[in-house]
Amino acid sequence: MSTASNTARANILGRLKAAPGRPGPDLPPWTPPTYADKLARFRQMAEANHAEIHDVTASNWPQRLATLLNNRGLRNLMIAPGTPRGDALVQAAAQGVPLPPLVPYDQSVEALKDALVHQVDAGLTGTRGAIAETGTLILWPTAQEPRLLSLLPPLHIAVLEEDTLHDTLAAAVRDQGWAAAGMPTNALLISGPSKTSDIEQTLAYGVHGPKELIILLVKKGE
Amino acid sequence: MAADGGHHPEHAPRFAERAPDALNNPQLRRNFRRAMDGLMAKRAAQFPDPAYWAELRARGAAVKARALAKLPDLLERLETNLTANGVQVHWAETTEEANAIVLGILQQAGARTVIKGKSMVSEEMHLNAHLERHGITAVESDLGEYIIQLAGETPSHIVMPCIHKNKAEISDLFAEKIPDQPRTDDVDELTAAARRVLRERFANADAGISGVNFAVAETGTLVLIENEGNGRLSTTLPPLHIAVTGIEKVVEFLDDVPPLLALLTRSATGQPITTYVNMISGPRKAGEKDGPTAVHLVLLDAGRSRVYQDVELADTLRCIRCAACMNHCPVYTRVGGHTYNAIYPGPIGKILTPQLQGLDAAGDQPHASTLCNACAEVCPVKIPIPDLLVRLRREAVRPTETPATHLPVVKDGGAERSWKESLVWAGWRLVYTRPLLYRMVTRALAWGGNWVPASAPLMRDWTKARARPRFKPRTLHDLARERGYLNEVPK
């Protein structure tokens, strides 16, 4: 921090501390909503957000994904090697599941920038759960599963386990212990594909991020 | 009421002088009416249960009020935790200082091109122009901001910056400014054109600049919300990220974010949540493959710590910039954002701008209101905007002093004081406290008031924006006596 910034800091904090004190109010009670059927609410809201949901199982999802991608005629799929989902796809491809060529996000963005910005058709990530109230996915990108994997490719595919649903963001922050665990470099809430309504309040998808969001919902115990 | 002529020689045209242009522009009025009607309906649909709305906004207002009560403490905690996370924190008292800090960081990194996410604080700084003067190109990436940057205009709304333009105007603009772009009325095609151009800008940018919606002291986290993904790109793809924010954006706990987020997106655009909520707690760590390797936060005061000195006026600082007040404002809807000639238009701007810039520069703004209370009814953090408008009108003519410094509480307090207005009020008081004089004056006006020409002194000021008063031939007292009302003498 520069000298000027230090002076500014002292002056700003000095003025704020010299101001008349004021009592901070106690927080009035607020009960965020809960849902008897979290999955139904999630489905309804995620679809309202323009996400496409496919019910899959822990064993058939690579095959289902291959069908979805081939129906769309996609040229490739970027994956995160070293994650359970990424490795499962590599293994499935080796066993003959007709997936498009898998592109690993295995180097820094500087090395992969051109592919990421121009060539990759789809990216696959896991999720850290989801929020029923708003149909929202929770992603905490990691060293293995980088931030841009869910952003630059025109199609984002997210794998969501159905037993990781929370009623609300408030419940997820509390139950997953975000504050205590320490926040990651980047935590994301994603609710549908990239969109804008800046031109005459008309919705258009894929303005900068993915045009489409596909959620593979892994059903429990199947 | 405007002050005496010649009192503000250096000013750009004031609100009352600018308003007729907007009012007489049917296309502009159609664009705003349509947009505001849509936004009001969408917001209303998000708060179907009045009891839940009351509970949620009480919580949101209290969260912000509590954060303000502890503001200096929270700013220090925010700085400590951000620094521990590897974010470099800078402080700026003025927008000039903030510009110098941002420029210094960029120059040190050798940055030539910058991609920007939407940030009203950067508009307040006139950051793009400052960078341009020093040979750094700053490209706006929010679609609305990109459109107005191409047009060489300023935002007319704090959430939807190009709301004043319709798609035909945008189509013409793109055809003129983007190579090989044909005219099209298809919004998807216009959006795709912007994506094509801006994607290259993202890929080649040396730095990204963004604003901040909430800065969480507890964890050292910057929360940014958006729908387009340009905010995530600006803060993820370039090797350097600089965030700029006003000091009032800090909240204490991560648990404070969910109620504020629920209020903000529903109030702003009628969405239960935006597509992206982007929470940044540091630069790229060892082993991580993307994200900027350096993250900076510039904390800007620019008059906010002065607003903080007055406990009533400090409610202004609760604002979470949802723009619901302008969407519901009958004045804003009719004149649009540019008429205010201010970074923050509409009701929140009418209380914020005079406090940040002073009552000399913006003392007319609190008068651009009917005090209808619509803004207060929809404000998600319960800012009593009409009360503060009235307070600022008073400060502009009869300033209160800060006890410690004997300076006006609001910058340039008293700037709107006018001898004509003072004279009228002094005369009014004289007449209304003396029954005999009152009878004489009302009788005189009843007899000859209508002969006073509209061009007479004082009358001229009144009739500038109002119909000429018509005096009835008989006074109220005459009529009352005729109907048999008795003059009750208090015992």
Side-chain angles (χ1 to χ4, degrees):
Chain A
M1 191 159 65
S2 69
T3 322
S5 176
N6 266 322
T7 309
R9 180 185 190 280
N11 290 345
I12 294 168
L13 289 175
R15 277 195 296 274
L16 294 178
K17 286 175 182 173
R22 60 210 77 186
D26 291 331
L27 297 190
W30 164 55
T31 315
T34 53
Y35 302 94
D37 188 345
K38 286 200 265 287
L39 187 57
R41 170 78 185 189
F42 174 80
R43 239 183 239 285
Q44 179 203 343
M45 295 306 287
E47 281 169 355
N49 292 336
H50 211 67
E52 192 178 308
I53 303 177
H54 295 271
D55 290 355
V56 298
T57 67
S59 53
N60 78 0
W61 73 270
Q63 182 62 54
R64 292 288 304 280
L65 176 63
T67 309
L68 282 169
L69 296 179
N70 291 329
N71 286 346
R72 281 176 162 76
L74 295 188
R75 297 167 300 176
N76 53 47
L77 170 67
M78 189 170 243
I79 55 146
T83 61
R85 297 300 168 197
D87 290 346
L89 283 186
V90 174
Q91 205 182 348
Q95 288 166 356
V97 176
L99 287 157
L102 301 178
V103 184
Y105 198 152
D106 57 358
Q107 299 171 71
S108 72
V109 60
E110 287 76 17
L112 287 173
K113 196 183 261 186
D114 189 52
L116 267 166
V117 172
H118 297 115
Q119 292 158 29
V120 171
D121 281 352
L124 181 122
T125 72
T127 55
R128 202 175 194 270
I131 297 164
E133 183 190 20
T134 50
T136 299
L137 301 172
I138 303 168
L139 272 75
W140 281 23
T142 60
Q144 287 77 34
E145 195 178 271
R147 295 158 72 168
L148 292 167
L149 190 53
S150 62
L151 184 60
L152 279 170
L155 168 62
H156 174 207
I157 302 142
V159 182
L160 172 67
E161 281 78 20
E162 73 162 336
D163 57 357
T164 58
L165 288 179
H166 301 265
D167 284 313
T168 56
L169 173 61
V173 169
R174 185 191 61 224
D175 297 345
Q176 295 188 348
W178 289 19
M183 292 293 280
T185 303
N186 186 216
L188 294 166
L189 306 179
I190 298 180
S191 308
S194 155
K195 63 176 179 277
T196 185
S197 55
D198 273 347
I199 301 177
E200 280 194 12
Q201 297 78 56
T202 308
L203 258 180
Y205 291 97
V207 54
H208 290 297
K211 290 176 167 55
E212 289 182 276
L213 171 64
I214 293 180
I215 299 169
L216 299 180
L217 186 68
V218 183
K219 307 288 280 184
K220 206 164 49 176
E222 286 176 35
Chain B
M1 186 179 291
D4 319 16
H7 195 99
H8 303 280
E10 76 286 14
H11 283 141
R14 307 196 113 204
F15 183 89
E17 296 156 58
R18 298 172 68 94
D21 279 348
L23 290 171
N24 293 322
N25 182 340
Q27 181 65 57
L28 186 85
R29 290 187 63 170
R30 268 196 301 275
N31 293 354
F32 272 98
R33 180 80 262 170
R34 181 189 136 121
M36 298 301 110
D37 284 347
L39 286 166
M40 284 193 285
K42 283 170 73 183
R43 176 199 164 275
Q46 288 298 327
F47 295 113
D49 176 1
Y52 185 68
W53 152 247
E55 183 181 316
L56 181 61
R57 87 196 279 237
R59 178 74 164 212
V63 161
K64 286 295 284 189
R66 193 188 55 181
L68 284 175
K70 301 179 183 176
L71 185 57
D73 174 41
L74 293 189
L75 286 169
E76 286 177 306
R77 262 154 74 191
L78 176 70
E79 180 186 42
T80 303
N81 289 325
L82 280 171
T83 307
N85 292 346
V87 176
Q88 298 171 62
V89 179
H90 310 261
W91 302 69
E93 286 194 87
T94 62
T95 55
E96 290 78 14
E97 284 181 19
N99 280 329
I101 290 168
V102 173
L103 180 66
I105 297 166
L106 292 172
Q107 285 175 335
Q108 197 164 3
R112 309 289 304 166
T113 62
V114 170
I115 193 88
K116 279 187 66 203
K118 187 169 154 31
S119 153
M120 289 310 296
V121 165
S122 77
E123 299 283 347
E124 204 179 320
M125 293 160 61
H126 302 289
L127 177 62
N128 293 1
H130 183 76
L131 296 180
E132 213 69 52
R133 279 196 295 277
H134 291 84
I136 295 174
T137 308
V139 179
E140 295 288 348
S141 63
D142 171 85
L143 181 61
E145 291 278 350
Y146 173 69
I147 290 167
I148 59 165
Q149 189 181 34
L150 278 186
E153 296 177 6
T154 55
S156 60
H157 187 275
I158 64 171
V159 172
M160 308 206 124
C162 78
I163 205 156
H164 56 288
K165 287 196 176 307
N166 63 16
K167 68 184 169 195
E169 295 168 285
I170 294 164
S171 170
D172 290 343
L173 180 69
F174 276 21
E176 182 198 339
K177 301 276 183 176
I178 300 176
D180 307 321
Q181 174 62 31
R183 282 197 88 266
T184 170
D185 275 352
D186 186 299
V187 171
D188 283 319
E189 284 176 30
L190 291 169
T191 305
R195 177 184 171 108
R196 199 178 65 236
V197 172
L198 288 170
R199 198 148 255 240
E200 295 312 307
R201 297 291 200 157
F202 278 116
N204 299 317
D206 300 315
I209 293 179
S210 76
V212 174
N213 293 101
F214 309 109
V216 184
E218 176 187 30
T219 53
T221 300
L222 308 178
V223 182
L224 283 70
I225 66 166
E226 51 144 349
N227 285 309
E228 296 186 2
N230 69 306
R232 282 184 66 197
L233 280 170
S234 301
T235 59
T236 313
L237 192 50
L240 169 63
H241 169 211
I242 305 170
V244 293
T245 189
I247 54 173
E248 80 283 17
K249 293 286 179 70
V250 65
V251 296
E252 187 166 8
F253 299 117
L254 206 54
D255 281 340
D256 294 338
V257 172
L260 291 176
L261 183 66
L263 286 164
L264 175 52
T265 62
R266 287 174 168 89
S267 300
T269 49
Q271 293 175 269
I273 193 168
T274 47
T275 297
Y276 300 114
V277 178
N278 180 13
M279 301 180 226
I280 297 166
S281 303
R284 188 191 307 190
K285 291 193 187 76
E288 291 178 347
K289 299 186 182 70
D290 56 19
T293 49
V295 177
H296 296 258
L297 175 70
V298 181
L299 288 167
L300 175 67
D301 181 346
R304 290 161 173 82
S305 63
R306 182 165 185 164
V307 177
Y308 189 74
Q309 302 300 316
D310 183 280
V311 176
E312 184 189 19
L313 291 170
D315 283 349
T316 312
L317 301 174
R318 287 213 294 262
C319 178
I320 56 175
R321 303 284 188 268
C322 72
C325 60
M326 56 198 79
N327 298 345
H328 291 75
C329 178
V331 177
Y332 176 92
T333 301
R334 283 163 181 81
V335 299
H338 286 150
T339 303
Y340 297 83
N341 198 26
I343 303 298
Y344 302 97
I348 186 64
K350 283 181 274 196
I351 59 170
L352 185 58
T353 309
Q355 295 188 72
L356 297 186
Q357 296 184 359
L359 287 162
D360 187 37
D364 63 328
Q365 295 240 347
H367 294 274
S369 168
T370 62
L371 302 179
C372 77
N373 215 45
C375 49
E377 282 174 19
V378 296
C379 177
V381 287
K382 296 166 98 169
I383 301 173
I385 295 177
D387 293 347
L388 299 184
L389 286 168
V390 172
R391 170 76 193 277
L392 288 167
R393 290 178 183 184
R394 195 166 69 238
E395 291 295 330
V397 291
R398 196 178 293 170
T400 47
E401 283 181 357
T402 307
T405 58
H406 296 293
L407 287 170
V409 165
V410 181
K411 188 182 174 202
D412 306 323
E416 294 279 310
R417 193 161 38 209
S418 132
W419 65 265
K420 288 180 190 171
E421 205 174 357
S422 303
L423 191 71
V424 168
W425 285 115
W428 183 86
R429 187 167 61 186
L430 193 74
V431 169
Y432 273 66
T433 51
R434 284 163 184 78
L436 181 65
L437 188 59
Y438 177 86
R439 280 198 293 276
M440 286 164 60
V441 169
T442 49
R443 204 163 289 282
L445 286 173
W447 174 76
N450 291 333
W451 293 353
V452 178
S455 58
L458 299 181
M459 187 63 95
R460 187 174 51 215
D461 299 287
W462 180 261
T463 54
K464 225 165 17 187
R466 299 174 188 84
R468 192 175 185 289
R470 304 296 302 172
F471 295 96
K472 293 289 176 191
R474 315 190 46 211
T475 69
L476 186 64
H477 282 187
D478 291 341
L479 296 174
R481 206 171 294 115
E482 188 178 288
R483 293 198 179 187
Y485 295 122
L486 295 175
N487 187 14
E488 288 180 33
V489 181
K491 290 181 182 121

